[in-house]
Amino acid sequence: MAADPRFFPCAGPQTLASIATVAGGQYQGDAERRFTGVASLQAATPDEVSFIDHRRHLPGLKQSQAGAVVLPAELAAEVPEGCIAIVVASAYLGFARVARLFHPVPALEPGVHPTAVVAPDAEVGPGCEIGPYAVIGAGAILGAGCAIGAHVVVGPGVELGAGCRLHPHSCISHAVAGAGVVLHPGARVGQEGFGLLVGPDGRFETVPQLGKVVLGDGVEVGANSCIDRGSQSDTIIGPGSRIDNLAQIGHNVQTGKGCVIVALAGISGSAVLGDYVTVAAQAGIAGHLKVGRKARIGAQAGVMNDVPEGIDVVGSPAWPVRETFRAFSALRKLAQPPGSKKAGEKT
Amino acid sequence: MAADPRFFPCAGPQTLASIATVAGGQYQGDAERRFTGVASLQAATPDEVSFIDHRRHLPGLKQSQAGAVVLPAELAAEVPEGCIAIVVASAYLGFARVARLFHPVPALEPGVHPTAVVAPDAEVGPGCEIGPYAVIGAGAILGAGCAIGAHVVVGPGVELGAGCRLHPHSCISHAVAGAGVVLHPGARVGQEGFGLLVGPDGRFETVPQLGKVVLGDGVEVGANSCIDRGSQSDTIIGPGSRIDNLAQIGHNVQTGKGCVIVALAGISGSAVLGDYVTVAAQAGIAGHLKVGRKARIGAQAGVMNDVPEGIDVVGSPAWPVRETFRAFSALRKLAQPPGSKKAGEKT
Amino acid sequence: MAADPRFFPCAGPQTLASIATVAGGQYQGDAERRFTGVASLQAATPDEVSFIDHRRHLPGLKQSQAGAVVLPAELAAEVPEGCIAIVVASAYLGFARVARLFHPVPALEPGVHPTAVVAPDAEVGPGCEIGPYAVIGAGAILGAGCAIGAHVVVGPGVELGAGCRLHPHSCISHAVAGAGVVLHPGARVGQEGFGLLVGPDGRFETVPQLGKVVLGDGVEVGANSCIDRGSQSDTIIGPGSRIDNLAQIGHNVQTGKGCVIVALAGISGSAVLGDYVTVAAQAGIAGHLKVGRKARIGAQAGVMNDVPEGIDVVGSPAWPVRETFRAFSALRKLAQPPGSKKAGEKT
């Protein structure tokens, strides 16, 4: 079952040679044999290419009718009769490349939709596509080849590097973005952060939030995620970092490069993350903390202390993983009814 | 206090007979007596209808000035003097029906707003209402009687069954929806899932997400909730399932029919839920897990293992409810200060 | 480093006298000396004003090149040579006032954008600014000086008091708002709450949600946060309350004045919060609970019982803070490997 052609135009049949080239793999077979698309092991037909990257999926491979499978050398002998093995170093990566060969990123249709409102002094680089009802504010600067979707609002003075893609309903203000930045639908970048204080009359007053957001090259912000601008310094998301949907990044947060923030996670104001930090789904990091390079914050963790480099933490409060799992284990024993076998195994 | 007429036009006074008919109930009184609306027990006037579905609300019933109350047989004798009991099998359902009698779902105003952008080859079924600034993409197909709100974006090729209601600011792409599907404001369906891998140069690369989203008949997606399309297979939400606000459904998730996903919950990619599964507020389900039919995931639970049919789990990690509550109880005893009475009750 | 002039127009240089006046402070120095803006201690140049509000930031003060620093009396002697101390009762508040002096809230540009769709019977007060593609529904009433951003949807009959600011992509229906209410980008107010019941055929039916939302004066709703309207009564947010991003307020919730709801928190239907309640990030409050005045709900807490006035709770389930911390401490001891020193310290 190929990718639904209503949504994923196909570049047309591809030869085995082309496929193996983009996958970075070796094969034995007819270089000119044509395939029509990619599919999962379960769904693929003999005209389609699939992949397997781990031994645990072997049953699926054995049953598959895929005409060719991208896989690592150690699994090459497992392909069913008639199926061509395309042997690669990294099967998932190779497959992603093949999928992209069949379904290239849709080309932009450069031009400004007649309904788009573009400020007279905004600079729109060559090859940009600006969609229906987009609003580009005064003094905004769009690099070459940006795709601005329907209803997107780019605020005054905002700068986008080349090749940014802003999906429908996203908005960005008080921000500067590098090249290749992606905002998924409904992403919100640059709004006022949650800075309030109690005034002399007991009411809340807003503290002016005078920083901006800086998105490094290749940063992606998920659907409906929010990144608040800084209060006196900037909120900075390091190059290549990826933020999933419905995540919250508070004012003055700084991340290194290549960070991954998963859905519904929250990073409180002024926290600083090193390079390649992973924050799993629904985790929370308290304000002003430091999370070291390559640390990994587990799902639903509640980080209340700095996390050193390379450490994995989980739990709320978050402790190093082994410690947390011992705690869970101890707690589970305590939870056994009195007199049960499991209870008797208390340490 | 009737429903605010600025927001809830009233179909006009209704007779006791009509009211009892839609509620499915029996009464004693003047069939032609007219009532003007519905209200809570606390707020209702003698011209209004209320309901009670549980004994614990008896004080409210005793004090109520409602002219009629929808209720189960066992509470019928409790109505105040002069108040008419409308006896039904299910009071909440009966009341919902009465409320709807007074306040029918507003009829559509078929037509396409002059500012809507509708692709020339999009098919718009009879009786559709398309609101200001909506954008309907190339080849999209809308069934009869769909209501498309202001600023909604329906992506190219998207198919909506009859009677779908897409509220303002929602968007749907790479998707097929059945009949009567509802997207609440800001809901996001069909965007690219969180599929990334580490490329050979250490940078993230996007894995093409070539699946779509399939929403069964009657599915409702809450405000600002997100459903990502699949990577190679589809993300599938079973008929009649309801998703509350600010929830995240990852790529390749499949749910059975009649599932309930409450606010701020997250279902990670490739998890599979059976029929009638309930996932309570802020719960999380890890990727690739299986949750069996009619299982119930408690609020803030962290599900890290498959959940069998009909099992209730809570806690993070999530365990069967009785076990978790015993764990909490044991933990609370441990938390007592040394020498305190409660501490001495340790088992 | 001044606030980025692309995003924060500056009112121009200000005299020391003006600065001290708005800060409410005393100083010694040339009243006519001019400063150009505000900045953090780390970033400020001799033409800029900074602040310090706590001894722990003293190292930053010692290193600072700020020309003047707003601070409390006890730190006045610590300013570097040549730096002017502006002594105030409350440094953070004083600084916020100075920041606002340099960067006043941008004035509205009264008028209705030609692309805005305003219903003929909507009432738009004097001095309102209505932005591109905004939609103002039938019978809506906007007080004086409201700022309605691009793509905002104000539903039929909605009433906004004077000086409300609705940021791009927000929407509000079935609601009445007081003066000075702010909706940040993507905020959703007034949509149907999550009211469903199981019908006689086993399918879900929607219970008509016939209440509205009432936002008190000065309420602020964060980016992409959601407030559902009531089912029979109203959802009420008390004056001055502030809701951060990505938070969920369920139907029929009522809050007192000055409540603070932080990002990703969820308040389930019919919960009632007193005045000045704080709900920290990612916390959850179960339905129908009562949270007393000035109670504080900790980050990620799971509140399953009423919380009395003035009590601080944390944990899931949420217990009074001291109890929860003792529980964490006990759990951590249980988590030590057998025979370890820490394990031997078990109480």
Side-chain angles (χ1 to χ4, degrees):
Chain A
M1 190 200 75
D4 194 319
R6 288 174 288 185
F7 309 119
F8 305 105
C10 185
Q14 307 291 326
T15 63
L16 177 55
S18 303
I19 290 164
T21 298
V22 300
Q26 307 294 322
Y27 65 94
Q28 282 177 348
D30 173 9
E32 294 307 308
R33 174 168 169 186
R34 291 186 173 287
F35 293 85
T36 56
V38 292
S40 66
L41 286 172
Q42 289 74 17
T45 63
D47 287 330
E48 293 173 327
V49 182
S50 190
F51 84 104
I52 177 174
D53 63 348
H54 195 281
R55 178 159 294 278
R56 68 175 166 252
H57 302 303
L58 267 179
L61 175 62
K62 295 298 189 188
Q63 306 259 357
S64 182
Q65 301 198 311
V69 175
V70 176
L71 39 58
E74 62 269 20
L75 298 178
E78 309 283 351
V79 294
E81 179 98 31
C83 171
I84 296 174
I86 302 174
V87 178
V88 295
S90 168
Y92 192 33
L93 173 63
F95 179 75
R97 297 281 173 78
V98 174
R100 188 58 79 206
L101 176 71
F102 281 104
H103 304 284
V105 175
L108 267 57
E109 295 175 24
V112 179
H113 196 274
T115 60
V117 173
V118 181
D121 66 343
E123 294 177 30
V124 176
C128 285
E129 174 186 340
I130 300 184
Y133 301 123
V135 176
I136 311 292
I141 300 175
L142 276 54
C146 286
I148 307 296
H151 299 119
V152 167
V153 177
V154 177
V158 167
E159 228 178 281
L160 304 181
C164 290
R165 299 182 79 98
L166 275 52
H167 288 267
H169 294 299
S170 57
C171 60
I172 178 166
S173 71
H174 304 86
V176 172
V181 165
V182 180
L183 300 191
H184 290 283
R188 315 241 163 264
V189 177
Q191 59 278 342
E192 190 172 83
F194 202 56
L196 55 92
L197 54 78
V198 182
D201 59 355
R203 293 191 198 186
F204 295 135
E205 286 191 28
T206 296
V207 179
Q209 302 291 299
L210 301 175
K212 60 182 183 288
V213 174
V214 177
L215 302 180
D217 293 342
V219 163
E220 298 206 13
V221 185
N224 285 347
S225 283
C226 302
I227 304 181
D228 293 343
R229 65 179 184 262
S231 52
Q232 294 162 72
S233 56
D234 296 333
T235 303
I236 301 173
I237 308 297
S241 292
R242 296 219 176 174
I243 299 165
D244 195 358
N245 303 344
L246 290 166
Q248 160 67 7
I249 309 287
H251 54 183
N252 310 312
V253 163
Q254 295 180 37
T255 88
K257 55 187 173 182
C259 288
V260 174
I261 315 295
V262 188
L264 293 160
I267 304 184
S268 303
S270 303
V272 175
L273 276 51
D275 295 336
Y276 308 116
V277 168
T278 304
V279 182
Q282 296 177 323
I285 297 175
H288 297 268
L289 295 182
K290 307 276 181 281
V291 179
R293 173 191 173 89
K294 293 199 174 178
R296 296 190 301 183
I297 314 296
Q300 297 190 340
V303 180
M304 300 171 51
N305 297 288
D306 289 351
V307 182
E309 279 197 25
I311 297 295
D312 295 349
V313 297
V314 71
S316 186
W319 299 328
V321 166
R322 293 184 74 175
E323 199 169 337
T324 296
F325 282 176
R326 278 196 301 261
F328 290 159
S329 186
L331 191 60
R332 198 159 200 188
K333 292 209 180 79
L334 283 179
Q336 299 312 315
S340 75
K341 220 162 172 208
K342 286 188 187 170
E345 290 163 13
K346 247 196 296 249
T347 51
Chain B
M1 189 201 76
D4 194 318
R6 287 174 290 186
F7 309 120
F8 304 105
C10 185
Q14 307 290 327
T15 63
L16 177 55
S18 303
I19 290 165
T21 299
V22 300
Q26 306 294 322
Y27 66 94
Q28 281 176 350
D30 174 10
E32 294 307 309
R33 175 170 168 185
R34 291 186 174 286
F35 292 85
T36 56
V38 292
S40 65
L41 287 171
Q42 289 73 16
T45 62
D47 287 331
E48 292 173 326
V49 182
S50 192
F51 84 104
I52 178 174
D53 62 347
H54 194 280
R55 177 160 294 279
R56 67 174 167 254
H57 301 305
L58 267 178
L61 176 63
K62 294 299 186 187
Q63 307 259 357
S64 183
Q65 302 198 310
V69 175
V70 176
L71 40 55
E74 63 267 21
L75 298 179
E78 308 282 352
V79 294
E81 181 96 32
C83 170
I84 295 174
I86 302 173
V87 178
V88 295
S90 168
Y92 192 34
L93 174 63
F95 179 75
R97 297 282 173 78
V98 173
R100 188 57 81 205
L101 177 70
F102 281 103
H103 305 284
V105 175
L108 266 58
E109 296 175 25
V112 179
H113 196 275
T115 61
V117 173
V118 181
D121 65 345
E123 294 176 31
V124 176
C128 285
E129 172 184 342
I130 300 184
Y133 302 123
V135 176
I136 312 293
I141 300 174
L142 276 54
C146 287
I148 308 295
H151 299 117
V152 167
V153 178
V154 176
V158 168
E159 227 178 281
L160 304 180
C164 291
R165 301 183 78 99
L166 275 53
H167 287 267
H169 294 299
S170 58
C171 61
I172 178 166
S173 71
H174 304 86
V176 172
V181 165
V182 180
L183 301 191
H184 290 282
R188 315 242 162 263
V189 176
Q191 60 279 342
E192 191 171 83
F194 201 56
L196 54 92
L197 54 78
V198 182
D201 59 355
R203 293 190 198 186
F204 295 134
E205 284 191 29
T206 297
V207 179
Q209 302 290 299
L210 301 176
K212 59 182 181 291
V213 175
V214 178
L215 303 179
D217 294 342
V219 162
E220 298 206 13
V221 185
N224 285 346
S225 283
C226 301
I227 304 180
D228 292 345
R229 65 179 185 261
S231 54
Q232 294 163 70
S233 54
D234 297 333
T235 303
I236 301 172
I237 308 297
S241 293
R242 296 217 176 176
I243 297 165
D244 195 357
N245 303 342
L246 291 165
Q248 160 68 6
I249 310 287
H251 55 182
N252 309 312
V253 163
Q254 295 181 36
T255 88
K257 54 188 171 182
C259 289
V260 174
I261 314 293
V262 187
L264 294 159
I267 305 184
S268 303
S270 301
V272 176
L273 276 52
D275 296 336
Y276 309 115
V277 167
T278 306
V279 182
Q282 297 178 324
I285 298 175
H288 296 270
L289 294 183
K290 306 277 182 281
V291 179
R293 174 192 173 89
K294 294 199 174 180
R296 297 189 300 183
I297 312 296
Q300 297 190 338
V303 180
M304 299 171 50
N305 297 288
D306 289 351
V307 182
E309 278 197 27
I311 297 294
D312 295 349
V313 296
V314 71
S316 185
W319 300 326
V321 166
R322 294 184 75 176
E323 201 169 335
T324 295
F325 283 174
R326 277 196 301 261
F328 290 158
S329 185
L331 191 59
R332 197 158 201 188
K333 290 209 181 79
L334 283 178
Q336 298 314 313
S340 76
K341 220 164 168 194
K342 288 188 183 173
E345 289 162 13
K346 245 193 299 242
T347 51
Chain C
M1 192 201 77
D4 194 319
R6 287 175 288 185
F7 309 119
F8 305 104
C10 185
Q14 307 291 324
T15 62
L16 177 56
S18 303
I19 290 165
T21 299
V22 300
Q26 306 294 322
Y27 65 95
Q28 281 175 352
D30 173 11
E32 294 306 310
R33 175 169 168 187
R34 292 186 173 287
F35 291 86
T36 58
V38 292
S40 65
L41 287 170
Q42 289 74 15
T45 63
D47 288 331
E48 292 173 328
V49 182
S50 192
F51 84 105
I52 178 173
D53 62 348
H54 195 280
R55 177 160 295 279
R56 68 175 166 251
H57 301 306
L58 267 178
L61 176 61
K62 295 298 187 186
Q63 307 257 358
S64 184
Q65 302 198 309
V69 175
V70 177
L71 40 56
E74 62 267 21
L75 298 179
E78 309 281 352
V79 294
E81 181 98 31
C83 171
I84 295 173
I86 301 174
V87 178
V88 295
S90 168
Y92 192 32
L93 174 63
F95 179 74
R97 297 282 174 78
V98 174
R100 188 58 80 207
L101 176 70
F102 281 104
H103 304 284
V105 175
L108 266 57
E109 297 176 22
V112 179
H113 196 274
T115 61
V117 173
V118 182
D121 65 346
E123 294 176 31
V124 177
C128 285
E129 173 186 342
I130 300 184
Y133 301 124
V135 177
I136 312 293
I141 299 174
L142 275 54
C146 287
I148 308 295
H151 299 117
V152 167
V153 178
V154 177
V158 167
E159 227 177 282
L160 305 180
C164 291
R165 300 182 78 98
L166 275 52
H167 288 268
H169 293 298
S170 58
C171 61
I172 178 166
S173 71
H174 304 86
V176 172
V181 165
V182 180
L183 301 191
H184 289 283
R188 315 243 163 263
V189 177
Q191 60 279 342
E192 192 171 81
F194 201 56
L196 55 92
L197 54 77
V198 183
D201 60 355
R203 292 190 198 185
F204 295 134
E205 285 190 29
T206 297
V207 179
Q209 302 291 298
L210 301 176
K212 59 184 183 287
V213 175
V214 178
L215 303 179
D217 294 342
V219 162
E220 298 207 13
V221 185
N224 284 347
S225 282
C226 301
I227 304 180
D228 292 344
R229 65 179 185 263
S231 54
Q232 295 163 69
S233 54
D234 296 333
T235 302
I236 301 172
I237 308 297
S241 292
R242 297 220 176 174
I243 298 165
D244 195 358
N245 302 343
L246 290 164
Q248 160 69 5
I249 310 287
H251 54 183
N252 309 313
V253 163
Q254 296 181 35
T255 88
K257 54 188 173 182
C259 288
V260 174
I261 315 294
V262 187
L264 292 159
I267 305 183
S268 303
S270 303
V272 176
L273 276 52
D275 296 336
Y276 310 114
V277 167
T278 305
V279 182
Q282 294 177 325
I285 298 174
H288 297 270
L289 295 182
K290 307 276 182 283
V291 179
R293 172 191 174 88
K294 294 199 173 177
R296 296 189 301 184
I297 313 295
Q300 295 190 340
V303 179
M304 299 171 51
N305 296 288
D306 289 351
V307 181
E309 279 197 27
I311 296 295
D312 295 349
V313 297
V314 72
S316 184
W319 300 327
V321 167
R322 294 185 73 177
E323 201 170 335
T324 295
F325 282 174
R326 278 196 301 262
F328 290 159
S329 185
L331 191 59
R332 198 159 199 186
K333 290 207 181 80
L334 282 179
Q336 299 313 315
S340 76
K341 220 164 170 194
K342 285 190 186 168
E345 288 162 15
K346 247 195 296 247
T347 49

